[in-house]
Amino acid sequence: MTVPRSTLRLQFHRGFTFDDAARHVEYFAALGISHLYTSPITTAEPGSMHGYDTVDYTQVSPECGGEAGLKRLADKLHAHNMGLIVDVVPNHMGVGGSSNAWWLDILEWGRHSAYARHFDVDWHSPDPALRGKVLAPALGAPYGEELAAGRIALQFAADTGRFHIGYGPHVFPVCPIDYASILQSAERADLTALAERFQGLTTQPTDQPRAAEGRARLREFAAQPGASAIEIALETYAPEDPVTRDRLHRLIERQHFRLAWWRTASDEVNWRRFFDIATLAGVRVERPEVFEAVHALIFRLYQEGVVDGLRIDHIDGLAEPREYCQRLRQRLTELRDTAPYVVVEKILGRDEPLRDDWPVDGTTGYDFMNDMGALLHDPAGAEPLAATWAELTGRSACFADEALAARRKILTENLCAELDRATRALHRIARDSLTTRDFTFTSLRRVLTELVVHFPVYRIYPQNGLRSATDNVYFEQALAGAKETLSRADHVVLERVNAWLGGSAEEVPNARGGTAQQQGQNGTPPIHAGSARRTAQTLFSQLSAPLAAKAIEDTACYRYGRLLSRNEVGSDPGDFALSVEQFHAGNLQRAQRFPHAMLATATHDHKRGEDVRARLAVLSEIAHDWNATLRAWSTLNTPHRRALDGAPISSVSKDASYDWAPGPAAEAMLYQTLAGCWPPALSPDDEAGVKDLAGRVAQWQLKALRETKLQTNWLTPDEAYEAGCRDFLFDILAPQRRDGFLRELSGFVARIDRAGALNSLQQTVLRLASPGIPDLYQGTELWDFSLVDPDNRRPVDFAKREAWLVQTPPSEFLPSWRDGRVKLAVVQRVLALRAHLPELLSQSTYLPLTVSGKHAAQVIAFARRHGNAWAVVIASRLATGLLGDDGDLPLVDPAKWDDTALEMPADLAGRALFDWLSPAAPKVDENGLLFLRDALGGMPVAVLVEDGVPRA
């Protein structure tokens, strides 16, 4: 296996192509990157800026440069001894436009489509209007309104010879069995002759080639003067006239799709979506033929050596993640001699392990990002910050309360169709047993609701229908929560559902005295009890995972504002801080179990840039000062608040309601955001700079307000409230406020920005030197004060970074730290060490180091050892108090460290060490102590190596 030394994530789209990346390969190599790590490379919806809405797995995205462009990039990387890791999206495809041939074929042929089993469609919906059909929730208004308005029309594509229902950019193919009636409606001999080619046609696969022949003849006819004749046929279905509109409606009703208002999706969608997004359809990659079709291009590129490793997106959406990983590794191993490098995007709860039976190299790094972020926080700040948040907003001080409420809201408003489908699976099992046949659908739905809202992690992973001991740790927590909230009458149902969802291997007898394996009911095919249970378990997991994502990441994290630096993807905002000992324990576990997992502190999905979070973490150290500042700013800006209709108001009651814009919670979060993302060099007098910042924050604010799903949301936005919030933001940042709030804001940032920069350097060096593969998100080698997407996906000035890349110790750039060059230099130097001594920071022993002395709590240190080679990594932490108000550097005065020292390994006693980040050469005394005043004299972080190791 070619294990990456370090990775750099790039976001490809039509504005940044493979050739654009190729122009910067020399820079990436000089920075020390061993592998580029790309966003999805398969063809996505036209104009996609992220690539996760794949419409064609068989082709490299033409907008990004196509296969030729990808190979040019790979060739250039290989010429620099670099590799390529690509993001693979096996869980879902984009179905929101007219570009997905697989999906269009399903709409055209229904259950007899060659791709009918490629997607997770429930063809046996209990709704008669959806049996054998696919819900198409694409309409902007109710179906009847859109039909009457003439926005739904029968159209003909001359280039394909197909009739389709057109709606804006959407195309819904008409089944060819209706072509005859369409052509005959014009009552023309030439069209009637063409209609004969479609007479007696069925949807059976054996008839579909005849339809293709008929379409070919239609194409020929349309290419000749026959196009006008087809227009006459279309006019007989024109939506403008009541009679022809009724004919159009009846035609639409006969199709294999049901056109519907987009709002129907949450309640009635009969196919698996990605989360609650009705333009992304779940793919049944657990089926062997689908697996091969989805991965054929990737496998070929891997076999050809173009691709060197894979990142698997949203592994928890798959029916069987374990089996998927096993099959993937087996296929990749068959294609090349070397073992493949594979990591999975997996959100882990605190202390939740990545499963050992998944043959992967680890996660994409959210778990490390969580640990690293929590390490930056002072636990003493948790309680006062939570108390002030609750007092100012009237919301709970406990994140778990927000999470539970959000889970209930998402389940009942966004994922109710998925809840119903999982309940039906359980109901079918119940009906096949004499002892449970009286369990009603409603009681099972109540029980399932309580289980999933109390489920503490994303999902379970049963094997052979049974939960593992690890699964039971989390399932028991859900059971306990469900028992507390359900009535005692439902406990017997809960007990049985527990068994069906993997708690018991008991075979359940059915209503006819045999087993469900032996016979079915009401003339239906026999149902194997084990198969029925596995279906229910899969549907449970494919409900609990999106519920966790939507409720926690996309709802509760936007409602709870104790400290926004802990509201991040993969993090639990209720899990405020992490001790040094806990951080070491996490690193030791990674070193032992998944030594090649990615280590990330920024991703394309992060809600706040890594340096925004690092600066906001400082507030945990000065909680009381921040609480006072928050109140002062709130008072100062009261005159700028708006009524909910957007009108200015001069004063309002300070209660917990949303009777003014932005409201207490949104306003408190806004102040944190401004303090976190204010650029280090921005002056309040810089009118253009402040305006640019206001525009970026307004973009974040709109998304944040809608994600809370309280006063406004994505489904039914309250535009007056949103406008009032935007006006408030622009008012408080207006140029005339430069001597008021703007001066207060920039002054406060100036108080905390040194400590924030110190935090940033700490997390940078720990990510680069901890066990695992450090991952760098595009552009974050300089300060990253971005907000949630699309802000964190703005174009990167790689030319500037390349010009600033010099062979100079990072300490030389510390005096000008605000420009970010010191961070860039740290990245370059530590990656150079990883290249010079690759085993030292990858295959070495991890040794936590004990710190003693006056300020031992303000230091974290560990050693890495490989053979006789040593590296000692040291970082200042929670250092706001030590920095004080003196000076302008993010560096503790060496004298302030007093007697603080590291207790070094015996092998290093009396040895001289050299710092990879500064000219310092501290010496370990004969007692094995290394004093911080010597080790951290020129930088707040150090990477020390033994005397004699050449430095880059």
Side-chain angles (χ1 to χ4, degrees):
M1 175 174 63
T2 303
V3 177
R5 189 175 64 251
S6 55
T7 58
L8 172 68
R9 169 75 179 207
L10 294 178
Q11 293 295 114
F12 287 108
H13 46 80
R14 63 188 177 187
F16 186 78
T17 67
F18 303 135
D19 286 330
D20 292 326
R23 284 190 281 273
H24 301 295
V25 166
E26 288 83 0
Y27 163 67
F28 302 144
L31 184 60
I33 299 300
S34 75
H35 287 67
L36 285 190
Y37 158 37
T38 77
S39 57
I41 62 170
T42 47
T43 301
E45 289 281 7
S48 175
M49 296 298 289
H50 50 76
Y52 287 100
D53 45 0
T54 300
V55 295
D56 186 353
Y57 282 115
T58 68
Q59 300 291 326
V60 176
S61 168
E63 290 189 347
C64 296
E67 188 168 330
L70 181 69
K71 287 182 174 178
R72 286 193 296 272
L73 173 59
D75 288 344
K76 193 164 186 181
L77 289 170
H78 295 158
H80 288 77
N81 296 315
M82 299 170 68
L84 188 66
I85 297 170
V86 299
D87 199 339
V88 178
V89 190
N91 177 66
H92 54 267
M93 294 186 80
V95 296
S98 58
S99 304
N100 190 325
W102 293 3
W103 189 252
L104 293 178
D105 199 74
I106 283 184
L107 299 181
E108 186 173 37
W109 295 105
R111 285 177 290 184
H112 292 136
S113 164
Y115 305 101
R117 302 182 77 184
H118 280 46
F119 296 93
D120 214 343
V121 179
D122 182 3
W123 295 106
H124 305 284
S125 171
D127 181 356
L130 279 174
R131 285 177 191 159
K133 293 177 180 280
V134 171
L135 185 73
L139 304 182
Y143 171 78
E145 292 181 18
E146 297 293 74
L147 188 67
R151 287 187 280 270
I152 302 173
L154 176 64
Q155 299 171 348
F156 177 73
D159 59 335
T160 64
R162 276 185 162 89
F163 288 101
H164 63 263
I165 305 300
Y167 178 78
H170 302 280
V171 169
F172 302 97
V174 170
C175 183
I177 64 175
D178 281 308
Y179 281 24
S181 61
I182 292 172
L183 294 168
Q184 291 169 343
S185 65
E187 299 182 350
R188 288 176 54 111
D190 50 0
L191 294 185
T192 300
L194 283 171
E196 291 178 359
R197 294 178 176 271
F198 299 95
Q199 291 286 1
L201 193 67
T202 71
T203 60
Q204 293 298 322
T206 53
D207 262 7
Q208 293 180 23
R210 186 157 71 90
E213 294 171 2
R215 283 196 296 259
R217 183 66 189 93
L218 270 176
R219 284 199 306 273
E220 295 171 4
F221 181 78
Q224 299 164 357
S228 59
I230 295 177
E231 286 297 325
I232 294 173
L234 295 178
E235 288 174 5
T236 65
Y237 291 85
E240 291 79 14
D241 180 83
V243 174
T244 54
R245 182 167 63 241
D246 182 65
R247 182 182 291 134
L248 173 63
H249 165 64
R250 284 184 278 113
L251 173 67
I252 294 172
E253 290 292 276
R254 292 196 299 271
Q255 302 313 304
H256 298 294
F257 52 83
R258 183 192 144 213
L259 282 182
W261 191 16
W262 64 269
R263 289 185 182 174
T264 64
S266 294
D267 294 326
E268 296 188 343
V269 70
N270 64 331
W271 43 272
R272 181 168 62 87
R273 303 173 287 173
F274 172 70
F275 295 172
D276 62 346
I277 303 172
T279 56
L280 296 174
V283 177
R284 296 189 67 188
V285 76
E286 68 273 14
R287 297 185 61 82
E289 70 275 17
V290 181
F291 177 88
E292 292 297 329
V294 166
H295 296 88
L297 172 67
I298 295 299
F299 288 159
R300 177 171 61 79
L301 294 174
Y302 181 77
Q303 185 176 34
E304 293 173 359
V306 178
V307 169
D308 302 289
L310 305 180
R311 180 258 199 197
I312 307 303
D313 179 67
H314 191 51
I315 191 75
D316 276 339
L318 308 184
E320 301 285 354
R322 176 192 302 102
E323 285 78 359
Y324 171 84
C325 293
Q326 292 169 346
R327 180 180 294 169
L328 182 69
R329 181 164 290 274
Q330 179 181 350
R331 289 287 283 112
L332 292 172
T333 303
E334 292 169 354
L335 296 172
R336 276 172 54 179
D337 294 337
T338 57
Y341 180 75
V342 179
V343 290
V344 294
E345 184 201 33
K346 166 65 184 153
I347 304 296
L348 294 167
R350 171 64 63 198
D351 298 324
E352 180 189 6
L354 182 63
R355 304 306 165 99
D356 288 314
D357 52 2
W358 294 13
V360 299
D361 294 287
T363 72
T364 56
Y366 289 124
D367 47 331
F368 180 83
M369 186 161 75
N370 181 31
D371 286 359
M372 187 67 251
L375 180 70
L376 300 179
H377 289 72
D378 186 345
E383 186 174 341
L385 288 172
T388 296
W389 166 256
E391 177 189 338
L392 290 179
T393 66
R395 304 195 67 83
S396 174
C398 178
F399 177 73
D401 294 336
E402 291 286 15
L404 188 63
R407 283 175 176 270
R408 292 193 185 282
K409 184 177 183 68
I410 294 298
L411 193 60
T412 57
E413 296 181 14
N414 298 70
L415 297 175
C416 29
E418 287 79 2
L419 173 62
D420 284 347
R421 188 176 181 186
T423 305
R424 284 196 299 273
L426 292 171
H427 198 214
R428 282 192 290 269
I429 299 173
R431 286 289 177 88
D432 277 329
S433 169
L434 290 172
T435 57
T436 60
R437 61 181 292 177
D438 289 335
F439 287 0
T440 65
F441 177 89
T442 304
S443 68
L444 288 164
R445 196 177 193 272
R446 280 196 304 269
V447 164
L448 190 58
T449 295
E450 294 309 315
L451 276 176
V452 291
V453 299
H454 287 96
F455 207 73
V457 293
Y458 264 48
R459 60 172 289 175
I460 56 174
Y461 307 95
Q463 194 164 11
N464 297 321
L466 291 176
R467 298 194 301 264
S468 67
T470 301
D471 287 331
N472 282 330
V473 169
Y474 306 109
F475 205 92
E476 290 295 332
Q477 295 177 43
L479 280 173
K483 284 180 180 177
E484 287 185 9
T485 51
L486 289 168
S487 71
R488 292 184 65 183
D490 283 331
H491 284 192
V492 64
V493 181
L494 177 64
E495 181 182 353
R496 181 55 63 184
V497 169
N498 173 30
W500 293 334
L501 293 179
S504 168
E506 173 190 355
E507 182 76 2
V508 182
N510 69 18
R512 292 180 175 82
T515 65
Q517 180 178 358
Q518 296 168 330
Q519 55 188 328
Q521 284 186 322
N522 303 322
T524 60
I527 301 173
H528 191 292
S531 175
R533 289 187 184 194
R534 283 192 292 273
T535 297
Q537 290 164 9
T538 296
L539 292 174
F540 175 79
S541 294
Q542 290 179 330
L543 173 63
S544 66
L547 177 61
K550 291 300 298 180
I552 304 303
E553 298 168 24
D554 293 343
T555 305
C557 279
Y558 284 99
R559 294 182 176 184
Y560 184 73
R562 170 170 62 179
L563 196 54
L564 296 183
S565 44
R566 290 301 294 137
N567 295 23
E568 193 49 81
V569 179
S571 300
D572 178 356
D575 186 15
F576 189 74
L578 198 70
S579 69
V580 168
E581 293 73 21
Q582 289 172 313
F583 181 81
H584 285 317
N587 269 352
L588 284 167
Q589 186 179 65
R590 265 183 292 273
Q592 294 162 5
R593 299 182 67 241
F594 293 101
H596 302 139
M598 283 185 173
L599 308 177
T601 50
T603 75
H604 62 285
D605 278 335
H606 67 233
K607 299 185 184 302
R608 291 162 193 86
E610 61 185 24
D611 300 312
V612 176
R613 298 194 308 271
R615 184 191 286 169
L616 286 177
V618 176
L619 303 183
S620 69
E621 301 179 61
I622 56 167
H624 295 291
D625 285 351
W626 169 246
N627 289 339
T629 300
L630 197 58
R631 290 185 173 90
W633 288 355
S634 182
T635 300
L636 177 64
N637 290 321
T638 295
H640 308 299
R641 293 170 178 166
R642 296 293 200 274
L644 293 184
D645 61 2
I649 52 177
S650 57
S651 63
V652 296
S653 61
K654 292 186 178 181
D655 62 15
S657 68
Y658 279 79
D659 59 357
W660 50 274
E667 184 178 344
M669 290 188 183
L670 174 62
Y671 294 142
Q672 285 190 54
T673 300
L674 289 170
C677 74
W678 184 273
L682 181 61
S683 164
D685 299 320
D686 181 353
E687 191 169 327
V690 172
K691 182 179 179 181
D692 177 71
L693 176 67
R696 289 175 49 222
V697 173
Q699 194 174 40
W700 160 83
Q701 183 187 56
L702 178 62
K703 181 168 186 172
L705 292 172
R706 290 185 176 180
E707 293 288 14
T708 62
K709 305 169 185 68
L710 293 170
Q711 181 65 33
T712 186
N713 56 57
W714 294 105
L715 301 182
T716 54
D718 184 335
E719 295 180 359
Y721 168 73
E722 293 171 357
C725 293
R726 181 181 175 87
D727 290 343
F728 175 83
L729 166 63
F730 277 90
D731 271 358
I732 67 175
L733 296 183
Q736 58 266 37
R737 240 66 73 190
R738 65 170 55 93
D739 293 322
F741 176 67
L742 278 174
R743 192 73 63 187
E744 291 286 329
L745 173 60
S746 63
F748 182 81
V749 171
R751 286 179 52 201
I752 65 172
D753 61 353
R754 285 191 302 143
L758 185 148
N759 277 349
S760 293
L761 294 176
Q762 175 193 172
Q763 76 176 353
T764 297
V765 79
L766 293 184
R767 170 169 52 88
L768 295 170
S770 289
I773 309 301
D775 175 48
L776 185 72
Y777 180 64
Q778 60 179 30
T780 59
E781 55 269 46
L782 293 180
W783 298 135
D784 175 29
F785 289 98
S786 66
L787 298 171
V788 74
D789 69 278
D791 194 57
N792 64 2
R793 302 177 189 180
R794 288 176 294 160
V796 177
D797 187 349
F798 286 115
K800 174 182 178 179
R801 287 158 174 78
E802 185 171 4
W804 280 6
L805 201 62
V806 294
Q807 298 294 330
T808 304
S811 57
E812 302 237 348
F813 299 111
L814 197 63
S816 58
W817 62 270
R818 287 182 176 82
D819 62 15
R821 294 184 72 176
V822 63
K823 183 183 178 186
L824 174 65
V826 168
V827 171
Q828 181 192 15
R829 296 285 280 195
V830 181
L831 291 183
L833 176 60
R834 293 185 73 102
H836 187 74
L837 296 173
E839 297 85 3
L840 184 56
L841 294 179
S842 62
Q843 301 176 28
S844 56
T845 303
Y846 181 89
L847 300 169
L849 296 180
T850 300
V851 187
S852 61
K854 185 176 181 181
H855 298 297
Q858 275 63 57
V859 182
I860 180 171
F862 56 82
R864 305 294 303 274
R865 179 180 185 176
H866 185 265
N868 293 323
W870 288 87
V872 176
V873 180
I874 313 169
S876 313
R877 64 181 298 268
L878 303 181
T880 302
L882 287 176
L883 288 174
D885 297 325
D886 301 328
D888 188 51
L889 298 181
L891 178 69
V892 175
D893 184 333
K896 289 186 177 180
W897 286 114
D898 201 86
D899 65 341
T900 310
L902 301 183
E903 298 178 10
M904 300 291 279
D907 288 0
L908 294 178
R911 300 288 188 91
L913 303 175
F914 284 80
D915 189 5
W916 206 261
L917 307 181
S918 77
K923 184 176 181 180
V924 182
D925 71 14
E926 296 302 325
N927 296 318
L929 295 179
L930 177 65
F931 288 93
L932 271 297
R933 59 176 179 262
D934 299 326
L936 298 181
M939 283 283 287
V941 291
V943 178
L944 307 177
V945 294
E946 237 185 318
D947 188 7
V949 178
R951 291 178 291 166

